Amino acid sequence: MFTLDNGYRPVQWVGSKSVTVTSNTAPFLFETGTTGNHRPLLVSPNHRMLLCSTQADLMLGNPEVLIPAKWTCHAFVPPQVLV
């Protein structure tokens, strides 16, 4: 992964966890191109997504912020999927 402050850094896998799917835990599906992604992306509701916008700067004092995927529904609406 390329970081702004340290250049390329290795990505480390830290594990996984199985949970019962409910309306609170169902993953969000970002279709190809929705967030600049090159393929469909399935993430947990609390997976952090990078948001770069003037709105983020006005609301949070920084134009680049990490927000939970479940908060992105205010910008666009990725569907939750029951898998």
Side-chain angles (χ1 to χ4, degrees):
M1 170 182 296
F2 185 81
T3 65
L4 291 177
D5 52 353
N6 275 333
Y8 286 101
R9 307 294 299 163
V11 175
Q12 297 179 341
W13 175 252
V14 294
S16 66
K17 180 179 176 183
S18 296
V19 296
T20 302
V21 175
T22 67
S23 60
N24 292 329
T25 62
F28 282 83
L29 174 62
F30 292 87
E31 292 291 350
T32 302
T34 306
T35 61
N37 48 318
H38 299 288
R39 61 181 183 184
L41 181 63
L42 196 62
V43 299
S44 73
N46 288 314
H47 183 93
R48 295 310 198 248
M49 308 292 288
L50 179 62
L51 176 67
C52 302
S53 74
T54 54
Q55 288 176 319
D57 196 20
L58 289 172
M59 293 171 35
L60 303 167
N62 195 318
E64 295 181 344
V65 294
L66 292 172
I67 61 169
K70 63 186 173 189
W71 289 6
T72 62
C73 63
H74 298 290
F76 49 89
V77 183
Q80 278 188 291
V81 291
L82 298 177
V83 289

